Amino acid sequence: QVQLVESGGGLVQAGGSLRLSCAASGRTFSTYTMGWFRQAPGKEREFVAAISWGGRSTYYADSVKGRFTISRDNAKSTVYLQMNTLKPEDTAVYHCAADPSLRWGLNLVEVSEYDYWGQGTQVTVSS
Protein backbone atom coordinates (compact mmCIF):
# COMPACT_ATOMS: atom_id res chain seq x y z
CA GLN A 1 0.00 0.00 0.00
CA VAL A 2 1.06 3.55 -0.72
CA GLN A 3 -0.25 6.60 1.06
CA LEU A 4 0.04 9.99 -0.60
CA VAL A 5 -0.33 13.33 1.19
CA GLU A 6 -0.41 16.60 -0.73
CA SER A 7 0.45 20.03 0.64
CA GLY A 8 1.23 23.52 -0.57
CA GLY A 9 -2.10 24.64 -1.93
CA GLY A 10 -3.63 28.01 -1.16
CA LEU A 11 -5.01 31.27 -2.49
CA VAL A 12 -2.89 33.23 -4.95
CA GLN A 13 -3.45 36.10 -7.36
CA ALA A 14 -3.31 35.55 -11.09
CA GLY A 15 0.29 35.57 -12.28
CA GLY A 16 1.55 34.21 -8.99
CA SER A 17 3.23 30.93 -8.12
CA LEU A 18 2.71 27.96 -5.84
CA ARG A 19 4.69 24.80 -5.20
CA LEU A 20 2.77 21.65 -4.38
CA SER A 21 4.35 18.69 -2.63
CA CYS A 22 3.21 15.10 -2.40
CA ALA A 23 4.84 12.90 0.24
CA ALA A 24 4.57 9.15 -0.22
CA SER A 25 4.87 6.31 2.22
CA GLY A 26 6.20 2.92 1.23
CA ARG A 27 9.58 1.53 0.22
CA THR A 28 9.11 1.42 -3.53
CA PHE A 29 8.39 5.06 -4.35
CA SER A 30 11.33 5.15 -6.75
CA THR A 31 9.65 2.57 -8.98
CA TYR A 32 6.38 4.48 -9.41
CA THR A 33 5.37 6.79 -12.18
CA MET A 34 3.89 9.81 -10.41
CA GLY A 35 1.21 12.09 -11.74
CA TRP A 36 -0.65 15.24 -10.83
CA PHE A 37 -4.31 15.65 -11.68
CA ARG A 38 -6.81 18.38 -10.88
CA GLN A 39 -10.54 18.62 -10.50
CA ALA A 40 -12.55 21.82 -10.66
CA PRO A 41 -16.12 22.01 -9.31
CA GLY A 42 -18.56 20.33 -11.68
CA LYS A 43 -15.80 19.02 -13.92
CA GLU A 44 -14.08 15.69 -14.39
CA ARG A 45 -10.64 15.03 -12.98
CA GLU A 46 -8.04 15.96 -15.58
CA PHE A 47 -4.40 15.16 -16.15
CA VAL A 48 -1.83 17.87 -15.39
CA ALA A 49 1.65 16.31 -15.43
CA ALA A 50 3.54 13.05 -14.95
CA ILE A 51 7.10 12.01 -14.22
CA SER A 52 8.79 8.66 -14.72
CA TRP A 53 10.20 6.62 -11.86
CA GLY A 54 13.77 7.89 -12.38
CA GLY A 55 12.71 11.42 -13.22
CA ARG A 56 14.19 11.39 -16.72
CA SER A 57 10.88 11.69 -18.52
CA THR A 58 8.08 14.16 -17.96
CA TYR A 59 4.84 14.89 -19.74
CA TYR A 60 2.44 17.82 -19.44
CA ALA A 61 -1.06 18.74 -20.44
CA ASP A 62 -1.05 21.43 -23.12
CA SER A 63 -2.88 23.80 -20.78
CA VAL A 64 0.06 23.91 -18.32
CA LYS A 65 3.05 23.34 -20.59
CA GLY A 66 5.66 26.04 -20.08
CA ARG A 67 4.11 27.19 -16.79
CA PHE A 68 4.20 24.08 -14.56
CA THR A 69 7.18 21.85 -13.74
CA ILE A 70 6.98 18.39 -12.19
CA SER A 71 9.96 16.97 -10.32
CA ARG A 72 10.72 14.29 -7.76
CA ASP A 73 13.17 13.50 -5.00
CA ASN A 74 13.26 9.74 -4.55
CA ALA A 75 15.44 10.03 -1.44
CA LYS A 76 12.59 11.98 0.19
CA SER A 77 9.79 9.99 -1.47
CA THR A 78 8.31 13.26 -2.63
CA VAL A 79 7.03 14.62 -5.91
CA TYR A 80 6.59 18.34 -6.57
CA LEU A 81 4.59 20.55 -8.88
CA GLN A 82 5.96 24.04 -9.37
CA MET A 83 3.19 26.23 -10.77
CA ASN A 84 4.07 29.61 -12.24
CA THR A 85 2.05 32.27 -14.03
CA LEU A 86 -1.11 30.91 -12.49
CA LYS A 87 -4.45 31.68 -14.10
CA PRO A 88 -7.99 31.67 -12.64
CA GLU A 89 -8.74 28.59 -14.75
CA ASP A 90 -6.07 26.70 -12.79
CA THR A 91 -8.36 26.81 -9.75
CA ALA A 92 -9.06 23.23 -8.66
CA VAL A 93 -8.29 20.55 -6.13
CA TYR A 94 -4.93 19.06 -7.09
CA HIS A 95 -4.29 15.37 -6.49
CA CYS A 96 -1.12 13.37 -6.81
CA ALA A 97 -1.28 9.77 -7.94
CA ALA A 98 1.05 6.78 -8.16
CA ASP A 99 1.28 4.17 -10.91
CA PRO A 100 3.33 1.10 -9.96
CA SER A 101 3.06 -0.57 -13.38
CA LEU A 102 6.48 0.56 -14.73
CA ARG A 103 4.74 1.59 -17.96
CA TRP A 104 5.41 4.93 -19.62
CA GLY A 105 3.08 5.67 -22.46
CA LEU A 106 -0.02 7.49 -23.55
CA ASN A 107 -2.08 5.88 -20.78
CA LEU A 108 -0.34 8.03 -18.19
CA VAL A 109 -2.92 10.76 -18.84
CA GLU A 110 -5.75 8.43 -17.78
CA VAL A 111 -7.14 8.40 -14.24
CA SER A 112 -7.52 4.63 -14.50
CA GLU A 113 -3.76 4.17 -14.95
CA TYR A 114 -3.03 5.13 -11.35
CA ASP A 115 -3.60 2.84 -8.39
CA TYR A 116 -3.03 5.23 -5.49
CA TRP A 117 -4.36 8.73 -4.87
CA GLY A 118 -3.96 11.48 -2.33
CA GLN A 119 -6.83 13.44 -0.83
CA GLY A 120 -5.91 16.60 -2.68
CA THR A 121 -4.98 20.19 -1.92
CA GLN A 122 -7.03 23.21 -2.95
CA VAL A 123 -5.53 25.79 -5.29
CA THR A 124 -7.50 28.99 -5.82
CA VAL A 125 -6.33 31.66 -8.25
CA SER A 126 -8.05 35.02 -8.03
CA SER A 127 -8.31 37.40 -10.96
Side-chain angles (χ1 to χ4, degrees):
Q1 283 288 346
V2 176
Q3 291 187 332
L4 304 173
V5 180
E6 302 96 336
S7 61
L11 173 64
V12 64
Q13 288 187 333
S17 298
L18 282 174
R19 188 193 195 202
L20 305 184
S21 299
C22 172
S25 65
R27 300 178 181 178
T28 54
F29 174 81
S30 62
T31 66
Y32 296 155
T33 293
M34 297 298 296
W36 283 98
F37 287 73
R38 65 188 182 187
Q39 188 164 17
K43 295 187 176 181
E44 293 187 352
R45 192 167 296 189
E46 66 172 1
F47 171 79
V48 174
I51 188 166
S52 61
W53 49 94
R56 288 187 176 183
S57 299
T58 57
Y59 188 73
Y60 298 92
D62 287 343
S63 59
V64 306
K65 200 173 296 182
R67 299 188 298 123
F68 291 12
T69 302
I70 189 171
S71 62
R72 68 190 296 161
D73 185 338
N74 285 342
K76 296 182 178 180
S77 297
T78 302
V79 63
Y80 305 97
L81 186 68
Q82 177 67 43
M83 305 186 296
N84 298 328
T85 320
L86 283 160
K87 305 175 181 180
E89 52 263 43
D90 293 319
T91 295
V93 176
Y94 283 70
H95 298 267
C96 68
D99 170 20
S101 71
L102 296 179
R103 289 191 296 265
W104 181 260
L106 294 179
N107 287 345
L108 56 82
V109 304
E110 302 294 337
V111 170
S112 59
E113 183 71 2
Y114 297 83
D115 290 356
Y116 305 104
W117 291 85
Q119 290 299 308
T121 185
Q122 176 72 47
V123 172
T124 303
V125 184
S126 63
S127 58

